[in-house]
Amino acid sequence: MSQLPETMKAVVCHGPEDYRVEEVNTPTAGPGEIVIKVKACGICGSDLKVYHGADMYWAGDDPWLKAPVIPGHEFYGEVAELGEGAAETHDLQIGDRITTDQINPCGNCMYCNSGKYWMCQVHNMYGFQREVAEGAMAEYMKFSPQSKIYKVPEGVNDYEASLLEPMACAVHAVQRATIEFEDFVVMAGAGTLGLCMIQLIKLKTPKTLVVLDANDRRLELAKKYGADICMNPTKEDVIQKVKDLTNGYGCDVYIEATGNPKGVTQGLEMVRKLGRYVEFSVFGKETTTDWSVIGDKKELDIRGSHLGPYTYPIAIDLFERGLVSAEGIVTHTFDIDDFPQAIATAQDPEAIKVSIKP
Protein backbone atom coordinates (compact mmCIF):
# COMPACT_ATOMS: atom_id res chain seq x y z
CA MET A 1 0.00 0.00 0.00
CA SER A 2 1.31 3.46 -0.95
CA GLN A 3 2.74 5.58 1.87
CA LEU A 4 2.44 8.76 -0.19
CA PRO A 5 -0.14 11.44 0.63
CA GLU A 6 -3.42 11.14 -1.26
CA THR A 7 -3.14 14.65 -2.71
CA MET A 8 -0.33 17.04 -3.59
CA LYS A 9 0.24 20.61 -4.74
CA ALA A 10 0.83 21.07 -8.46
CA VAL A 11 0.89 23.78 -11.08
CA VAL A 12 -1.81 22.94 -13.64
CA CYS A 13 -1.88 24.48 -17.11
CA HIS A 14 -5.47 25.02 -18.27
CA GLY A 15 -4.65 27.26 -21.23
CA PRO A 16 -2.37 30.12 -22.33
CA GLU A 17 -1.60 32.30 -19.31
CA ASP A 18 -4.08 30.21 -17.28
CA TYR A 19 -1.85 28.34 -14.82
CA ARG A 20 -3.12 27.54 -11.34
CA VAL A 21 -1.59 26.02 -8.21
CA GLU A 22 -4.06 23.28 -7.28
CA GLU A 23 -4.45 20.30 -4.99
CA VAL A 24 -4.51 17.18 -7.19
CA ASN A 25 -4.27 13.42 -6.72
CA THR A 26 -0.78 12.14 -6.03
CA PRO A 27 0.36 9.67 -8.71
CA THR A 28 0.84 6.04 -7.72
CA ALA A 29 3.27 3.57 -9.22
CA GLY A 30 1.85 0.73 -11.27
CA PRO A 31 3.94 -2.20 -12.60
CA GLY A 32 7.34 -0.97 -13.77
CA GLU A 33 6.57 2.63 -12.82
CA ILE A 34 8.42 4.97 -10.46
CA VAL A 35 7.14 7.94 -8.47
CA ILE A 36 9.64 10.56 -7.41
CA LYS A 37 9.49 13.31 -4.83
CA VAL A 38 10.40 16.24 -7.06
CA LYS A 39 13.40 18.17 -5.75
CA ALA A 40 13.64 20.79 -8.51
CA CYS A 41 12.02 21.67 -11.83
CA GLY A 42 13.37 24.36 -14.14
CA ILE A 43 11.30 26.74 -16.25
CA CYS A 44 12.46 26.32 -19.84
CA GLY A 45 12.21 28.75 -22.75
CA SER A 46 9.67 26.40 -24.32
CA ASP A 47 7.59 26.64 -21.11
CA LEU A 48 7.42 30.39 -21.65
CA LYS A 49 6.32 29.94 -25.25
CA VAL A 50 3.57 27.56 -24.11
CA TYR A 51 2.56 29.99 -21.36
CA HIS A 52 2.09 32.77 -23.90
CA GLY A 53 0.12 30.57 -26.33
CA ALA A 54 2.63 29.95 -29.15
CA ASP A 55 0.83 28.39 -32.13
CA MET A 56 3.25 25.47 -32.42
CA TYR A 57 1.92 24.15 -29.09
CA TRP A 58 -1.72 25.22 -29.12
CA ALA A 59 -2.88 25.49 -32.75
CA GLY A 60 -4.91 22.92 -34.70
CA ASP A 61 -7.51 20.29 -33.94
CA ASP A 62 -4.95 18.04 -32.25
CA PRO A 63 -2.52 20.41 -30.47
CA TRP A 64 0.77 19.12 -29.12
CA LEU A 65 -0.02 20.43 -25.65
CA LYS A 66 -3.08 18.75 -24.17
CA ALA A 67 -4.45 20.74 -21.24
CA PRO A 68 -5.16 20.49 -18.43
CA VAL A 69 -1.68 19.20 -17.71
CA ILE A 70 1.04 19.59 -15.08
CA PRO A 71 3.98 21.25 -16.90
CA GLY A 72 7.69 20.82 -16.29
CA HIS A 73 10.33 18.79 -18.14
CA GLU A 74 13.63 19.83 -16.47
CA PHE A 75 13.66 17.85 -13.24
CA TYR A 76 15.22 15.48 -10.78
CA GLY A 77 13.98 13.94 -7.58
CA GLU A 78 14.19 11.17 -5.02
CA VAL A 79 12.52 7.78 -5.47
CA ALA A 80 9.36 7.82 -3.36
CA GLU A 81 7.53 4.73 -4.64
CA LEU A 82 8.49 1.76 -6.81
CA GLY A 83 6.00 -0.23 -8.83
CA GLU A 84 6.27 -3.99 -9.21
CA GLY A 85 9.55 -4.89 -10.93
CA ALA A 86 10.90 -1.32 -11.12
CA ALA A 87 13.46 -1.75 -8.33
CA GLU A 88 14.97 -4.82 -10.00
CA THR A 89 14.84 -3.40 -13.53
CA HIS A 90 16.60 -0.16 -12.62
CA ASP A 91 18.55 -1.21 -9.51
CA LEU A 92 16.75 1.35 -7.38
CA GLN A 93 15.69 1.82 -3.80
CA ILE A 94 13.61 4.41 -2.00
CA GLY A 95 15.53 7.66 -1.57
CA ASP A 96 17.79 7.32 -4.60
CA ARG A 97 18.28 10.57 -6.53
CA ILE A 98 17.26 10.02 -10.15
CA THR A 99 16.11 11.68 -13.35
CA THR A 100 14.96 10.56 -16.79
CA ASP A 101 14.76 11.90 -20.34
CA GLN A 102 12.29 14.65 -21.17
CA ILE A 103 10.57 12.30 -23.61
CA ASN A 104 8.35 9.41 -22.54
CA PRO A 105 8.88 7.10 -25.54
CA CYS A 106 6.21 4.65 -26.68
CA GLY A 107 8.71 1.79 -27.04
CA ASN A 108 6.92 0.38 -30.11
CA CYS A 109 7.42 2.69 -33.11
CA MET A 110 10.10 2.44 -35.80
CA TYR A 111 12.31 4.97 -34.02
CA CYS A 112 12.04 3.34 -30.60
CA ASN A 113 12.69 -0.10 -32.07
CA SER A 114 15.83 1.13 -33.83
CA GLY A 115 17.29 2.85 -30.76
CA LYS A 116 16.28 6.35 -31.89
CA TYR A 117 13.83 6.72 -29.00
CA TRP A 118 14.22 10.52 -28.79
CA MET A 119 12.47 10.80 -32.17
CA CYS A 120 9.57 8.55 -31.04
CA GLN A 121 6.68 8.87 -33.49
CA VAL A 122 4.10 9.22 -30.69
CA HIS A 123 6.38 11.74 -29.00
CA ASN A 124 4.80 12.13 -25.59
CA MET A 125 6.81 14.66 -23.60
CA TYR A 126 6.70 15.05 -19.84
CA GLY A 127 4.78 18.19 -19.06
CA PHE A 128 2.87 18.42 -22.33
CA GLN A 129 0.36 15.58 -22.52
CA ARG A 130 -2.10 14.88 -19.70
CA GLU A 131 -1.92 11.53 -17.89
CA VAL A 132 0.55 9.84 -20.29
CA ALA A 133 3.30 12.28 -19.33
CA GLU A 134 2.46 14.70 -16.53
CA GLY A 135 5.32 17.03 -15.67
CA ALA A 136 7.36 17.95 -12.63
CA MET A 137 5.90 21.25 -11.41
CA ALA A 138 4.38 19.24 -8.59
CA GLU A 139 5.37 17.61 -5.33
CA TYR A 140 5.44 14.17 -6.97
CA MET A 141 5.87 12.88 -10.52
CA LYS A 142 5.53 9.46 -12.17
CA PHE A 143 7.99 7.85 -14.63
CA SER A 144 6.70 5.27 -17.11
CA PRO A 145 8.11 1.73 -17.53
CA GLN A 146 9.74 2.88 -20.81
CA SER A 147 11.76 5.59 -19.06
CA LYS A 148 15.54 5.48 -19.10
CA ILE A 149 16.54 6.05 -15.49
CA TYR A 150 19.74 7.83 -14.52
CA LYS A 151 21.04 7.86 -10.95
CA VAL A 152 22.41 11.17 -9.70
CA PRO A 153 25.52 10.51 -7.58
CA GLU A 154 26.52 12.38 -4.42
CA GLY A 155 29.23 14.22 -6.34
CA VAL A 156 26.57 16.17 -8.25
CA ASN A 157 25.12 18.98 -6.14
CA ASP A 158 21.49 20.09 -6.16
CA TYR A 159 22.03 22.99 -8.55
CA GLU A 160 23.88 20.74 -10.98
CA ALA A 161 21.23 18.03 -10.70
CA SER A 162 18.56 20.59 -11.57
CA LEU A 163 20.48 21.39 -14.77
CA LEU A 164 20.95 17.82 -15.99
CA GLU A 165 18.25 18.03 -18.68
CA PRO A 166 19.61 21.26 -20.26
CA MET A 167 23.20 19.99 -20.03
CA ALA A 168 22.26 16.67 -21.64
CA CYS A 169 20.56 18.55 -24.49
CA ALA A 170 23.63 20.78 -24.81
CA VAL A 171 25.90 17.74 -25.06
CA HIS A 172 23.84 16.40 -27.96
CA ALA A 173 23.92 19.76 -29.77
CA VAL A 174 27.70 20.04 -29.42
CA GLN A 175 28.10 16.45 -30.57
CA ARG A 176 26.05 17.33 -33.67
CA ALA A 177 28.51 20.14 -34.43
CA THR A 178 31.51 17.75 -34.69
CA ILE A 179 33.88 20.52 -33.63
CA GLU A 180 37.52 20.16 -34.72
CA PHE A 181 40.70 21.66 -33.25
CA GLU A 182 41.10 24.34 -35.94
CA ASP A 183 37.46 25.42 -36.03
CA PHE A 184 36.26 28.97 -35.59
CA VAL A 185 32.99 28.42 -33.68
CA VAL A 186 30.17 30.91 -33.13
CA MET A 187 27.70 30.16 -30.33
CA ALA A 188 24.58 32.32 -30.76
CA GLY A 189 22.68 32.67 -27.51
CA ALA A 190 23.98 32.68 -23.93
CA GLY A 191 20.89 31.61 -22.07
CA THR A 192 20.80 28.43 -20.01
CA LEU A 193 21.41 26.13 -22.98
CA GLY A 194 23.99 28.41 -24.55
CA LEU A 195 25.96 28.68 -21.31
CA CYS A 196 25.94 24.90 -21.02
CA MET A 197 27.10 24.55 -24.64
CA ILE A 198 29.88 27.11 -24.15
CA GLN A 199 31.43 24.97 -21.43
CA LEU A 200 31.18 21.88 -23.61
CA ILE A 201 32.55 23.59 -26.71
CA LYS A 202 35.54 24.76 -24.69
CA LEU A 203 36.23 21.14 -23.73
CA LYS A 204 36.45 20.42 -27.48
CA THR A 205 39.30 23.01 -27.70
CA PRO A 206 38.41 24.79 -30.95
CA LYS A 207 40.80 27.45 -32.18
CA THR A 208 38.35 30.28 -31.44
CA LEU A 209 34.99 30.44 -29.67
CA VAL A 210 32.83 33.52 -30.22
CA VAL A 211 29.61 34.00 -28.23
CA LEU A 212 26.78 36.29 -29.31
CA ASP A 213 24.01 37.59 -27.06
CA ALA A 214 22.05 40.81 -26.62
CA ASN A 215 22.45 40.64 -22.82
CA ASP A 216 25.83 41.95 -21.59
CA ARG A 217 25.49 40.23 -18.22
CA ARG A 218 25.16 36.87 -19.94
CA LEU A 219 28.17 37.68 -22.09
CA GLU A 220 30.20 38.25 -18.92
CA LEU A 221 29.26 34.77 -17.73
CA ALA A 222 30.05 33.37 -21.20
CA LYS A 223 33.54 34.84 -20.91
CA LYS A 224 33.95 33.18 -17.52
CA TYR A 225 32.95 29.85 -19.03
CA GLY A 226 35.52 30.03 -21.82
CA ALA A 227 34.41 32.30 -24.65
CA ASP A 228 37.39 33.87 -26.41
CA ILE A 229 35.37 36.75 -27.82
CA CYS A 230 31.93 38.05 -26.81
CA MET A 231 29.78 40.30 -29.00
CA ASN A 232 26.42 42.00 -28.62
CA PRO A 233 24.58 42.01 -31.98
CA THR A 234 22.48 44.99 -30.89
CA LYS A 235 25.62 47.09 -30.50
CA GLU A 236 27.91 45.99 -33.34
CA ASP A 237 27.90 44.38 -36.78
CA VAL A 238 28.68 40.85 -35.65
CA ILE A 239 28.50 39.36 -39.14
CA GLN A 240 31.15 41.72 -40.48
CA LYS A 241 33.29 41.32 -37.39
CA VAL A 242 33.30 37.51 -37.65
CA LYS A 243 34.21 37.77 -41.34
CA ASP A 244 37.00 40.21 -40.49
CA LEU A 245 38.35 37.71 -37.94
CA THR A 246 38.31 34.89 -40.52
CA ASN A 247 39.90 36.62 -43.53
CA GLY A 248 36.48 37.21 -45.01
CA TYR A 249 35.41 33.55 -45.04
CA GLY A 250 33.09 33.29 -42.04
CA CYS A 251 32.91 30.82 -39.17
CA ASP A 252 33.36 27.07 -39.58
CA VAL A 253 30.57 26.19 -37.14
CA TYR A 254 27.51 28.18 -36.10
CA ILE A 255 25.23 26.91 -33.32
CA GLU A 256 21.86 28.67 -33.01
CA ALA A 257 20.32 28.77 -29.52
CA THR A 258 18.74 32.22 -29.38
CA GLY A 259 15.10 31.33 -30.06
CA ASN A 260 14.99 34.47 -32.22
CA PRO A 261 14.37 34.13 -35.98
CA LYS A 262 17.09 36.73 -36.57
CA GLY A 263 19.57 34.21 -35.17
CA VAL A 264 18.83 31.97 -38.15
CA THR A 265 19.41 34.48 -40.94
CA GLN A 266 22.41 35.90 -39.09
CA GLY A 267 23.99 32.47 -38.87
CA LEU A 268 23.38 31.53 -42.50
CA GLU A 269 25.11 34.72 -43.56
CA MET A 270 27.93 34.38 -41.03
CA VAL A 271 28.92 30.74 -41.66
CA ARG A 272 31.47 30.04 -44.39
CA LYS A 273 30.93 27.98 -47.53
CA LEU A 274 30.84 24.25 -46.67
CA GLY A 275 30.35 25.22 -43.02
CA ARG A 276 28.25 23.48 -40.37
CA TYR A 277 25.09 25.08 -39.01
CA VAL A 278 23.39 23.47 -35.98
CA GLU A 279 19.80 24.49 -35.19
CA PHE A 280 18.80 23.96 -31.58
CA SER A 281 16.16 26.59 -30.77
CA VAL A 282 12.43 26.17 -30.42
CA PHE A 283 10.80 29.19 -32.06
CA GLY A 284 7.54 30.84 -31.10
CA LYS A 285 6.92 31.90 -34.70
CA GLU A 286 8.07 31.00 -38.19
CA THR A 287 11.26 32.31 -39.69
CA THR A 288 11.98 32.70 -43.40
CA THR A 289 15.21 32.85 -45.37
CA ASP A 290 16.58 32.48 -48.87
CA TRP A 291 17.14 28.74 -49.06
CA SER A 292 19.52 29.10 -51.98
CA VAL A 293 22.22 30.08 -49.48
CA ILE A 294 22.07 26.53 -48.11
CA GLY A 295 22.56 24.82 -51.46
CA ASP A 296 23.66 26.85 -54.46
CA LYS A 297 25.56 29.59 -52.64
CA LYS A 298 27.32 27.76 -49.82
CA GLU A 299 26.52 24.01 -49.82
CA LEU A 300 26.06 24.09 -46.06
CA ASP A 301 25.77 21.14 -43.71
CA ILE A 302 22.54 21.89 -41.82
CA ARG A 303 21.98 19.81 -38.69
CA GLY A 304 19.15 19.79 -36.20
CA SER A 305 19.47 18.94 -32.52
CA HIS A 306 16.61 17.55 -30.43
CA LEU A 307 16.65 16.58 -26.74
CA GLY A 308 19.49 14.69 -25.03
CA PRO A 309 19.62 11.10 -26.31
CA TYR A 310 22.13 8.91 -24.49
CA THR A 311 23.82 12.02 -23.09
CA TYR A 312 22.59 12.11 -19.48
CA PRO A 313 25.44 9.84 -18.31
CA ILE A 314 27.90 12.20 -20.03
CA ALA A 315 26.37 15.26 -18.35
CA ILE A 316 26.38 13.54 -14.96
CA ASP A 317 30.03 12.49 -15.38
CA LEU A 318 31.14 15.98 -16.45
CA PHE A 319 29.43 17.56 -13.43
CA GLU A 320 30.87 14.94 -11.09
CA ARG A 321 34.41 15.56 -12.41
CA GLY A 322 34.01 19.33 -12.14
CA LEU A 323 34.49 19.88 -15.87
CA VAL A 324 31.21 21.78 -16.20
CA SER A 325 29.38 23.91 -13.66
CA ALA A 326 25.96 25.31 -12.77
CA GLU A 327 27.46 28.31 -10.98
CA GLY A 328 25.77 31.52 -12.05
CA ILE A 329 23.23 29.78 -14.29
CA VAL A 330 20.52 28.93 -11.75
CA THR A 331 19.73 32.48 -10.66
CA HIS A 332 16.37 32.11 -8.87
CA THR A 333 14.42 29.42 -7.00
CA PHE A 334 10.79 29.58 -5.88
CA ASP A 335 8.35 27.47 -3.90
CA ILE A 336 5.53 25.97 -5.90
CA ASP A 337 3.02 28.34 -4.27
CA ASP A 338 4.97 31.23 -5.76
CA PHE A 339 4.58 30.06 -9.36
CA PRO A 340 3.16 33.42 -10.60
CA GLN A 341 6.30 35.16 -9.36
CA ALA A 342 8.50 32.40 -10.80
CA ILE A 343 7.01 32.66 -14.30
CA ALA A 344 7.28 36.45 -14.19
CA THR A 345 10.92 36.26 -13.09
CA ALA A 346 11.71 33.75 -15.86
CA GLN A 347 10.79 36.46 -18.37
CA ASP A 348 13.12 39.01 -16.79
CA PRO A 349 16.27 39.52 -18.93
CA GLU A 350 18.34 39.60 -15.74
CA ALA A 351 17.30 36.03 -14.84
CA ILE A 352 18.84 32.99 -16.49
CA LYS A 353 17.48 29.74 -15.07
CA VAL A 354 14.51 29.93 -12.74
CA SER A 355 13.77 26.77 -10.79
CA ILE A 356 10.80 25.61 -8.74
CA LYS A 357 11.42 23.52 -5.63
CA PRO A 358 8.16 21.88 -4.52
Side-chain angles (χ1 to χ4, degrees), residues 18 20 23 42 73 91 100 108 119 146 150 218 220 222 247 265 278-279 292 303 306 308 311 324-325 346 348:
D18 184 6
R20 312 168 200 169
E23 197 77 15
H73 59 267
D91 187 26
T100 188
N108 296 313
M119 298 306 297
Q146 291 81 243
Y150 309 103
R218 294 184 180 191
E220 290 175 9
N247 297 317
T265 51
V278 178
E279 183 54 65
S292 61
R303 304 178 183 183
H306 182 55
T311 56
V324 295
S325 173
D348 185 336

Side-chain angles (χ1 to χ4, degrees), residues 129-150:
Q129 288 87 24
R130 187 182 184 186
E131 296 178 354
V132 294
E134 293 270 36
M137 292 187 190
E139 293 181 280
Y140 295 90
M141 177 188 180
K142 181 166 68 176
F143 295 170
S144 79
Q146 291 81 243
S147 294
K148 296 181 181 296
I149 305 300
Y150 309 103

Side-chain angles (χ1 to χ4, degrees), residues 81-103:
E81 186 177 66
L82 291 160
E84 182 182 354
E88 296 77 13
T89 299
H90 302 291
D91 187 26
L92 292 177
Q93 58 185 1
I94 301 298
D96 282 347
R97 300 162 82 218
I98 64 170
T99 188
T100 188
D101 289 80
Q102 175 184 346
I103 192 167

Side-chain angles (χ1 to χ4, degrees), residues 103 105-112 116-124:
I103 192 167
C106 74
N108 296 313
C109 70
M110 177 182 75
Y111 299 105
C112 287
K116 308 294 192 301
Y117 71 92
W118 71 102
M119 298 306 297
C120 172
Q121 186 72 3
V122 180
H123 222 73
N124 287 326

Side-chain angles (χ1 to χ4, degrees), residues 165-208:
E165 191 273 343
M167 188 63 75
C169 290
V171 171
H172 184 53
V174 172
Q175 288 174 333
R176 295 285 286 159
T178 57
I179 294 167
E180 303 292 346
F181 297 124
E182 290 298 306
D183 281 341
F184 189 107
V185 180
V186 173
M187 177 72 240
T192 299
L193 270 300
L195 290 168
C196 289
M197 291 183 205
I198 289 162
Q199 299 180 67
L200 297 162
I201 293 167
K202 199 63 179 178
L203 292 175
K204 292 283 187 178
T205 63
K207 186 174 183 179
T208 306

Side-chain angles (χ1 to χ4, degrees), residues 192-245:
T192 299
L193 270 300
L195 290 168
C196 289
M197 291 183 205
I198 289 162
Q199 299 180 67
L200 297 162
I201 293 167
K202 199 63 179 178
L203 292 175
K204 292 283 187 178
T205 63
K207 186 174 183 179
T208 306
L209 170 57
V210 173
V211 175
L212 311 177
D213 200 276
N215 185 313
D216 288 334
R217 181 183 172 214
R218 294 184 180 191
L219 290 177
E220 290 175 9
L221 197 51
K223 193 75 172 179
K224 172 186 172 183
Y225 277 139
D228 298 304
I229 302 169
C230 291
M231 303 182 200
N232 186 327
T234 67
K235 297 180 178 180
E236 55 187 318
D237 186 343
V238 296
I239 295 172
Q240 187 58 52
K241 195 159 184 180
V242 166
K243 288 186 176 181
D244 290 344
L245 290 166

